[in-house]
Amino acid sequence: MKLPSLAEIEAAAQTVYAAMPPTPQYCWPLLSERAGAEVWVKHENHTPTGAFKVRGGLVYLDDLARARPEVTGVVTATRGNHGQSIAFAARARGLKATVLVPEGNAFEKNAAMRAFGAELVIAGHDFQEAREHAEALAGKENLHLVGSFDERLVRGVATYPLEFFRAVPDLDTVYLPIGLGSGISATIAARDALGLKTEVVGVVAETAAAYKLSFEAGRPISTNSAITLADGMACRGPEPEALDIILGGAARIVAVSDAQIAGAMRAFYSDTHNLAEGAGAAAYAALLRERDAMAGKKVGVMLCGGNVDSDVFAKILAGAL
């Protein structure tokens, strides 16, 4: 897949900004003290859906409306944030949105998707099975299938690292989580479009390490399961196009444990009073894991979302996983 150019990302930003303002980035002193580095946080937990993916949904459905105005309904599979983005953008376009989630999906993410107007269907034991059901439903009900990785999604998502890099252009390294790869692909695209030298470091959960294994092997490797506190990173197999971009543009991929993710969630709350879901905290967890190597550097972390169920977060604040 060809990465979007600077002009294409800037055009996507106009579509995004018609629905939401840019999100802030702050240097938090207590987070910096913990990490022994100057830590800048990009707050994608401040979007209308509480996560970065809304940008991709807005651009995807804007392009779809122009190219295929006959489409009246879309279907997708998600663990939550992608589904919210499609539901949010579909409602603005007057489209029907059907969203498939796996059994046991986060209750509050499900409620948010319904509130944005989605018809929610529970199918399968994990994301992979939910995606297979979505593909079948698309054919059965003549719905447009929206995947979780697509050039249009990447183009929209790239507007947030573009904001970040323009606000803080001298970052040594930026950390961000990998779900199916739109976020890290977009970050590589924005960095390259601006001609910066910032290292891009991907983050996975130790129990959902498909992208790390694939990065190290130089080819797609799937795992049998992907069970992690960070449901937005619960990926069993990499997207080949995303992996190609990561292989060409990322410095490395770091794996963090659920305990480290939970610790980073607590740090965000105590140090900044911001909610970070598991995937949203993973970048800071990886920075803490590489604390010695990053000492004294200027580092960015993507707080990509804050959509964590309140009962789960209460347990984490109390010191549990």
Side-chain angles (χ1 to χ4, degrees), residues 179-225:
L180 282 180
S182 65
I184 189 169
S185 298
T187 301
I188 290 168
R191 179 206 54 194
D192 291 355
L194 292 172
L196 302 179
K197 302 299 184 184
T198 306
E199 277 192 335
V200 174
V201 179
V203 184
V204 300
E206 289 179 348
T207 52
Y211 268 100
K212 179 175 170 60
L213 296 171
S214 300
F215 183 82
E216 292 171 351
R219 58 181 176 83
I221 294 179
S222 296
T223 57
N224 292 326
S225 64

Coordinates of all heavy atoms in Angstrom, one line a residue, residues 179-225:
G179 N -2.6 -2.5 16.9 CA -3.7 -3.4 16.9 C -3.7 -4.1 15.6 O -3.0 -5.2 15.5
L180 N -4.3 -3.6 14.5 CA -4.1 -4.2 13.2 C -3.1 -3.3 12.3 O -2.8 -3.7 11.2 CB -5.4 -4.3 12.5 CG -6.2 -5.5 13.0 CD1 -7.6 -5.6 12.2 CD2 -5.5 -6.8 12.8
G181 N -2.7 -2.2 12.8 CA -1.6 -1.5 12.2 C -1.9 -0.1 11.5 O -1.0 0.5 11.0
S182 N -3.2 0.4 11.6 CA -3.4 1.7 11.0 C -2.7 2.8 11.7 O -2.2 3.7 11.1 CB -4.9 1.9 11.0 OG -5.5 2.1 12.3
G183 N -2.6 2.7 13.1 CA -2.0 3.8 13.8 C -0.5 3.9 13.5 O 0.0 5.0 13.3
I184 N 0.2 2.8 13.6 CA 1.7 2.9 13.3 C 2.0 3.2 11.9 O 2.9 3.9 11.6 CB 2.4 1.6 13.8 CG1 3.9 1.8 13.8 CG2 1.9 0.4 13.0 CD1 4.7 0.7 14.5
S185 N 1.1 2.7 11.0 CA 1.3 3.0 9.5 C 1.1 4.5 9.3 O 1.9 5.1 8.6 CB 0.4 2.2 8.7 OG 0.6 0.8 8.8
A186 N 0.1 5.0 9.9 CA -0.2 6.5 9.8 C 0.9 7.3 10.4 O 1.3 8.4 9.9 CB -1.5 6.8 10.5
T187 N 1.5 6.9 11.5 CA 2.6 7.6 12.1 C 3.8 7.6 11.3 O 4.5 8.6 11.1 CB 2.9 7.0 13.5 OG1 1.7 7.1 14.3 CG2 4.0 7.8 14.2
I188 N 4.1 6.5 10.7 CA 5.3 6.4 9.8 C 5.0 7.3 8.6 O 5.9 8.0 8.1 CB 5.5 4.9 9.3 CG1 6.0 4.1 10.5 CG2 6.5 4.9 8.2 CD1 6.0 2.6 10.3
A189 N 3.8 7.3 8.1 CA 3.5 8.2 6.9 C 3.6 9.6 7.2 O 4.2 10.4 6.4 CB 2.0 7.9 6.5
A190 N 3.1 10.1 8.4 CA 3.2 11.5 8.8 C 4.7 11.9 9.0 O 5.1 13.0 8.6 CB 2.4 11.7 10.0
R191 N 5.4 11.0 9.7 CA 6.9 11.3 9.9 C 7.6 11.5 8.6 O 8.4 12.4 8.4 CB 7.5 10.2 10.7 CG 9.0 10.4 11.0 CD 9.8 9.2 11.2 NE 9.6 8.2 10.2 CZ 10.1 6.9 10.4 NH1 10.6 6.5 11.5 NH2 9.9 6.1 9.4
D192 N 7.4 10.5 7.7 CA 8.1 10.6 6.4 C 7.7 11.7 5.6 O 8.5 12.4 4.9 CB 7.9 9.3 5.7 CG 8.5 8.1 6.3 OD1 9.3 8.3 7.3 OD2 8.3 6.9 5.9
A193 N 6.4 12.1 5.6 CA 5.9 13.2 4.9 C 6.5 14.5 5.3 O 6.7 15.4 4.5 CB 4.3 13.3 5.0
L194 N 6.8 14.6 6.6 CA 7.4 15.8 7.1 C 9.0 15.8 7.0 O 9.6 16.7 7.4 CB 7.0 16.0 8.6 CG 5.5 16.4 8.7 CD1 5.2 16.4 10.2 CD2 5.2 17.8 8.1
G195 N 9.5 14.6 6.7 CA 11.0 14.5 6.5 C 11.7 14.5 7.9 O 12.8 14.9 8.0
L196 N 11.1 14.0 8.9 CA 11.7 13.9 10.2 C 12.5 12.6 10.4 O 12.3 11.6 9.7 CB 10.6 14.0 11.3 CG 9.7 15.3 11.2 CD1 8.6 15.2 12.3 CD2 10.5 16.5 11.4
K197 N 13.3 12.6 11.5 CA 14.2 11.5 11.8 C 13.7 10.7 13.0 O 14.4 9.8 13.5 CB 15.6 12.0 12.0 CG 16.2 12.7 10.8 CD 16.3 11.8 9.6 CE 16.9 12.5 8.4 NZ 16.9 11.7 7.2
T198 N 12.5 11.1 13.6 CA 12.0 10.5 14.8 C 11.9 9.0 14.6 O 11.3 8.5 13.6 CB 10.6 11.0 15.1 OG1 10.7 12.5 15.2 CG2 10.1 10.5 16.4
E199 N 12.4 8.2 15.6 CA 12.2 6.8 15.6 C 10.7 6.4 16.0 O 10.2 7.0 16.9 CB 13.1 6.1 16.7 CG 14.5 5.8 16.4 CD 15.1 4.9 17.4 OE1 14.7 4.9 18.6 OE2 16.1 4.2 17.1
V200 N 10.2 5.5 15.2 CA 8.8 5.0 15.5 C 8.9 3.6 16.1 O 9.5 2.7 15.5 CB 7.9 5.0 14.3 CG1 6.6 4.4 14.5 CG2 7.8 6.4 13.7
V201 N 8.4 3.4 17.3 CA 8.5 2.2 18.0 C 7.1 1.6 18.2 O 6.3 2.3 18.9 CB 9.3 2.3 19.3 CG1 9.3 0.9 20.1 CG2 10.7 2.8 19.1
G202 N 6.8 0.4 17.7 CA 5.5 -0.2 17.9 C 5.5 -1.0 19.2 O 6.6 -1.4 19.8
V203 N 4.3 -1.1 19.8 CA 4.2 -1.8 21.1 C 3.1 -2.9 21.0 O 2.0 -2.6 20.4 CB 3.8 -0.9 22.2 CG1 3.8 -1.6 23.6 CG2 4.8 0.3 22.3
V204 N 3.4 -4.1 21.4 CA 2.4 -5.2 21.5 C 2.3 -5.7 22.9 O 3.2 -5.5 23.7 CB 2.7 -6.3 20.5 CG1 2.7 -5.8 19.1 CG2 4.1 -7.0 20.9
A205 N 1.3 -6.5 23.2 CA 1.2 -7.2 24.4 C 1.9 -8.5 24.3 O 2.0 -9.1 23.3 CB -0.3 -7.4 24.8
E206 N 2.5 -8.9 25.4 CA 3.3 -10.2 25.4 C 2.4 -11.4 25.0 O 2.9 -12.3 24.3 CB 3.9 -10.4 26.8 CG 5.1 -9.5 27.1 CD 5.7 -9.8 28.5 OE1 5.0 -10.5 29.2 OE2 6.7 -9.2 28.8
T207 N 1.2 -11.3 25.3 CA 0.3 -12.4 25.0 C -0.5 -12.2 23.7 O -1.4 -13.0 23.3 CB -0.8 -12.6 26.1 OG1 -1.4 -11.3 26.4 CG2 -0.1 -13.1 27.4
A208 N -0.1 -11.2 22.9 CA -0.7 -10.9 21.6 C 0.4 -10.4 20.7 O 0.4 -9.2 20.3 CB -1.8 -9.9 21.7
A209 N 1.4 -11.2 20.5 CA 2.7 -10.7 20.0 C 2.9 -11.0 18.5 O 4.0 -11.0 18.0 CB 3.9 -11.4 20.8
A210 N 1.8 -11.1 17.8 CA 1.9 -11.5 16.3 C 2.8 -10.5 15.6 O 3.6 -10.9 14.8 CB 0.6 -11.6 15.7
Y211 N 2.6 -9.2 15.8 CA 3.4 -8.2 15.0 C 4.8 -8.2 15.4 O 5.7 -8.0 14.6 CB 2.8 -6.8 15.2 CG 1.7 -6.5 14.1 CD1 0.4 -6.6 14.4 CD2 2.1 -6.1 12.9 CE1 -0.6 -6.3 13.4 CE2 1.2 -5.8 11.9 CZ -0.1 -5.9 12.2 OH -1.1 -5.6 11.2
K212 N 5.2 -8.4 16.7 CA 6.6 -8.5 17.1 C 7.2 -9.7 16.4 O 8.3 -9.6 15.9 CB 6.7 -8.5 18.6 CG 8.1 -8.6 19.1 CD 8.2 -8.5 20.6 CE 9.6 -8.8 21.2 NZ 10.6 -7.9 20.7
L213 N 6.6 -10.9 16.5 CA 7.1 -12.1 15.9 C 7.3 -11.9 14.4 O 8.3 -12.3 13.8 CB 6.2 -13.3 16.2 CG 6.0 -13.7 17.7 CD1 4.9 -14.7 17.8 CD2 7.3 -14.2 18.3
S214 N 6.3 -11.3 13.8 CA 6.4 -11.1 12.3 C 7.5 -10.1 12.0 O 8.2 -10.3 11.0 CB 5.0 -10.6 11.8 OG 4.0 -11.5 12.1
F215 N 7.6 -9.0 12.8 CA 8.7 -8.0 12.5 C 10.0 -8.7 12.6 O 10.9 -8.4 11.7 CB 8.5 -6.9 13.5 CG 9.5 -5.8 13.3 CD1 9.2 -4.8 12.4 CD2 10.6 -5.7 14.1 CE1 10.1 -3.7 12.2 CE2 11.5 -4.6 13.9 CZ 11.3 -3.6 13.0
E216 N 10.2 -9.5 13.6 CA 11.6 -10.1 13.8 C 11.8 -11.2 12.7 O 13.0 -11.4 12.4 CB 11.6 -10.7 15.2 CG 11.6 -9.6 16.3 CD 11.5 -10.1 17.7 OE1 11.2 -11.3 17.8 OE2 11.7 -9.3 18.6
A217 N 10.8 -11.8 12.2 CA 11.0 -12.9 11.2 C 11.0 -12.3 9.8 O 11.4 -12.9 8.8 CB 9.9 -13.9 11.3
G218 N 10.4 -11.1 9.6 CA 10.4 -10.5 8.3 C 9.2 -11.0 7.5 O 9.2 -10.8 6.2
R219 N 8.3 -11.7 8.1 CA 7.1 -12.3 7.4 C 6.0 -12.4 8.3 O 6.2 -12.5 9.5 CB 7.5 -13.6 6.8 CG 8.0 -14.6 7.8 CD 8.4 -16.0 7.2 NE 8.9 -16.9 8.2 CZ 8.2 -17.6 9.0 NH1 6.8 -17.6 8.9 NH2 8.7 -18.4 9.9
P220 N 4.8 -12.6 7.8 CA 3.6 -12.7 8.7 C 3.6 -14.0 9.5 O 3.9 -15.1 9.0 CB 2.4 -12.7 7.8 CG 2.9 -12.0 6.5 CD 4.3 -12.4 6.4
I221 N 3.5 -13.8 10.8 CA 3.3 -15.0 11.7 C 2.1 -14.8 12.6 O 2.0 -13.7 13.2 CB 4.6 -15.1 12.6 CG1 5.8 -15.5 11.7 CG2 4.4 -16.2 13.7 CD1 7.1 -15.6 12.5
S222 N 1.2 -15.7 12.6 CA 0.0 -15.7 13.5 C 0.2 -16.4 14.7 O 1.1 -17.3 14.8 CB -1.2 -16.2 12.7 OG -1.4 -15.4 11.5
T223 N -0.6 -16.1 15.7 CA -0.6 -16.8 17.0 C -2.0 -17.5 17.2 O -3.0 -17.1 16.5 CB -0.3 -15.9 18.2 OG1 -1.3 -14.8 18.2 CG2 1.1 -15.3 18.0
N224 N -2.0 -18.5 18.1 CA -3.3 -19.2 18.3 C -4.3 -18.4 19.1 O -5.5 -18.7 19.1 CB -3.0 -20.6 19.0 CG -2.3 -21.5 18.0 OD1 -2.5 -21.5 16.8 ND2 -1.4 -22.3 18.6
S225 N -3.8 -17.5 19.9 CA -4.7 -16.7 20.8 C -4.1 -15.3 20.9 O -2.9 -15.1 20.6 CB -4.9 -17.4 22.1 OG -3.7 -17.4 22.8

